[in-house]
Amino acid sequence: MIQFDSNRFGKLAMWSLRNDRSYYVRSFLQIFAVQTLMFLFFTTGVLRINNNSGNYSACGVITIMFFLITFLIGPSTMFYSLKGKHDKQALMLLPASNFEKYLMRYSTWIIILPIGVVASLGADLIQYVVNWLMGHPYTAFVFTRVFELIGKGLDALNAQELNSFVICVMWLHSIYAIGGSFFRSRKYTWVLTTLVIIVIGLLMAWVMPESSNDNAQTPTHVMAIADAITAILVMVNFWLSYRCFCRTQNIGRFINF
């Protein structure tokens, strides 16, 4: 069977979206409710930080962290929309290649991103209307502050720091992709993967010596080599995630083998 066929993948995507629509609707309502309560809690004066009501910076930081965390752990949620082993069995029996099924499962978190944006914009509009009706002079949109914080963050980072941040995020993203297809637990794969990452981080901190000069600029060729090695590791991690997905079994207890 051809590994990827656009027509077949389109039919698989339609099938998945139709069967997972309750999951996406539930995700939208959850994000909308949480964001609305959070925005109102910070901006209406219920919580005051430094005697300042209308804490839009706090809302902006939390919103940025939400989307960053969604990107990081997104691949570990690829089976969240499946309710049990019967749904997973039905997925594996579909007339599509394993590569197409894996792409569709991986895309689950990507679909959540625009849903989260719409839900957050709706919550932002509600807090704006509520604060406007209450006559607060500081009334503003949270997303205006979000863009300001992102701009300040990018200005504060130099090229090497931004590069290090991006490659670190991509590596963690690929690790969560392995966890999503390796661990058996459908709802807690991100927890188990996080524990593995913590263990790896502790081992690396123990094995690798501390840098004698933290402020020294890393040479460009060293950064290029580090980027190349990280890119290879990311590709290997996704390949391992795909191999784990192909070996998924309904009889497994803790892992999908």
Side-chain angles (χ1 to χ4, degrees):
M1 176 181 290
I2 299 175
Q3 284 296 306
F4 185 84
D5 179 83
S6 58
N7 184 48
R8 189 171 59 220
F9 181 75
K11 294 179 180 179
L12 174 64
M14 294 300 297
W15 181 89
S16 298
L17 292 173
R18 183 171 60 252
N19 284 271
D20 297 344
R21 61 181 180 273
S22 61
Y23 167 71
Y24 294 125
V25 171
R26 186 169 63 252
S27 298
F28 171 82
L29 294 176
Q30 289 174 346
I31 298 171
F32 177 75
V34 171
Q35 293 282 63
T36 300
L37 292 175
M38 181 193 70
F39 290 168
L40 292 176
F41 182 74
F42 278 100
T43 63
T44 56
V46 175
L47 177 67
R48 294 176 180 269
I49 300 178
N50 297 327
N51 296 321
N52 177 35
S53 55
N55 300 292
Y56 286 93
S57 293
C59 295
V61 170
I62 295 175
T63 302
I64 293 172
M65 291 302 299
F66 164 74
F67 287 105
L68 178 61
I69 292 173
T70 299
F71 176 81
L72 277 178
I73 72 172
S76 66
T77 64
M78 63 175 66
F79 293 117
Y80 267 35
S81 60
L82 303 181
K83 297 180 176 62
K85 64 179 182 180
H86 298 293
D87 287 347
K88 189 176 291 188
Q89 185 178 28
L91 171 67
M92 300 309 292
L93 292 176
L94 287 174
S97 68
N98 285 333
F99 181 67
E100 292 166 346
K101 295 172 187 175
Y102 178 80
L103 282 181
M104 194 60 228
R105 285 294 93 197
Y106 174 81
S107 300
T108 302
W109 75 269
I110 300 177
I111 299 173
I112 291 295
L113 283 180
I115 291 176
V117 170
V118 173
S120 298
L121 287 173
D124 194 11
L125 179 61
I126 288 179
Q127 72 80 21
Y128 184 91
V129 172
V130 170
N131 281 288
W132 176 71
L133 291 175
M134 294 176 68
H136 292 157
Y138 53 77
T139 301
F141 286 106
V142 173
F143 270 81
T144 301
R145 189 58 179 162
V146 168
F147 294 137
E148 292 177 357
L149 290 172
I150 293 176
K152 290 181 179 179
L154 293 176
D155 291 338
L157 295 175
N158 58 42
Q160 287 193 358
E161 291 172 339
L162 182 59
N163 179 81
S164 299
F165 175 77
V166 171
I167 62 175
C168 181
V169 167
M170 291 304 301
W171 180 77
L172 290 173
H173 180 80
S174 65
I175 291 293
Y176 278 102
I178 296 179
S181 55
F182 178 77
F183 290 111
R184 184 69 181 172
S185 174
R186 180 174 61 90
K187 288 294 185 182
Y188 301 103
T189 49
W190 69 272
V191 176
L192 298 173
T193 307
T194 302
L195 294 176
V196 171
I197 291 175
I198 292 174
V199 172
I200 293 175
L202 293 175
L203 290 175
M204 292 178 64
W206 177 60
V207 173
M208 298 179 64
E210 295 183 0
S211 175
S212 59
N213 188 3
D214 295 333
N215 296 323
Q217 289 290 320
T218 306
T220 304
H221 69 279
V222 175
M223 290 297 299
I225 294 174
D227 289 349
I229 293 175
T230 304
I232 294 173
L233 290 176
V234 168
M235 289 187 289
V236 170
N237 288 341
F238 274 107
W239 178 80
L240 290 174
S241 175
Y242 171 66
R243 296 304 300 172
C244 289
F245 176 82
C246 293
R247 295 176 64 89
T248 299
Q249 299 179 10
N250 279 331
I251 60 176
R253 186 174 182 181
F254 298 109
I255 60 176
N256 284 322
F257 280 93

